[in-house]
Amino acid sequence: AAARRARQTVLVVCGPPGAGKSTLVDRLVAADPRFAAPRWLSTDRDSADDVVDEAAFDGRDDLAVVFGGDEALAEEETTLLDRAVPKKRGLARAELVDRADGKTCVLDCDVETARRLEGLAGVRLVGVWVSLDSLGALRERLTKVEAGRALARSDDVDAAQVAAVVSERLSTVVDDIDFGVRSPMFEFTIITSDAE
């Protein structure tokens, strides 16, 4: 019974963009064999997710979380080269709970994904809120990340374009933080440093 309860727990690591969620999840999954990150399904051929065609995606009845269709993809990051193109992205329930490998799922997600998970039946969500100590620190981190992405993709952009993308991504941070403070999902808070 104890092993079954462990598989029903999902560790939800959430916070504003640029707070260090992905770094934290990657390190946890690499260091502790009890945890695994889920595999997402996507109709986006350029995605790092498991890619399926739209008919196969739409035919699945086991998806616990779905983004796409008529709505904008909240999970999809908007970068200088990656403007919103309607795509679908989903997460199968078996990736979250009752995993074949017996591991506990650690989900690196944005606030919109966490909100959707709140209604998932039969799952114990253990939330970990991750943030930097100030909005200024988040702005600096996002500026470095966006400038690095543009450079890595050989995108010819200037500082004003990077600043516009950063401002757009920060526009929802106060609401995101409010959700992190008010949601009963979050049992732990981690304040990360600006150092990688």
Side-chain angles (χ1 to χ4, degrees), residues 119-149:
L120 198 57
V123 177
R124 179 173 182 258
L125 301 174
V126 176
V128 179
W129 183 261
V130 179
S131 188
L132 290 169
D133 62 357
S134 70
L135 288 175
L138 282 168
R139 179 178 298 283
E140 287 177 30
R141 170 85 56 86
L142 282 172
T143 299
K144 281 184 2 187
V145 167
E146 290 300 330
R149 284 182 178 160

Side-chain angles (χ1 to χ4, degrees), residues 9 14 36 43 49 52 57 71 74 76 84 91 101-103 123 135 139 143 164 186 192-193:
T9 298
C14 185
T43 59
D49 302 328
V52 295
F57 187 95
E71 64 193 80
E76 180 176 73
L91 187 60
D101 60 11
K103 295 182 178 185
V123 177
L135 288 175
R139 179 178 298 283
T143 299
F186 298 104
T192 59
S193 69

Side-chain angles (χ1 to χ4, degrees), residues 172-186:
T172 63
V173 166
V174 173
D175 289 336
D176 290 352
I177 292 170
D178 184 60
F179 172 75
V181 169
R182 295 179 188 273
S183 174
M185 176 192 313
F186 298 104

Side-chain angles (χ1 to χ4, degrees), residues 41-45 49-58 60:
L41 298 174
S42 177
T43 59
D44 178 6
R45 298 207 182 284
D49 302 328
D50 289 351
V51 177
V52 295
D53 66 31
E54 191 160 343
F57 187 95
D58 291 340
R60 294 187 65 131

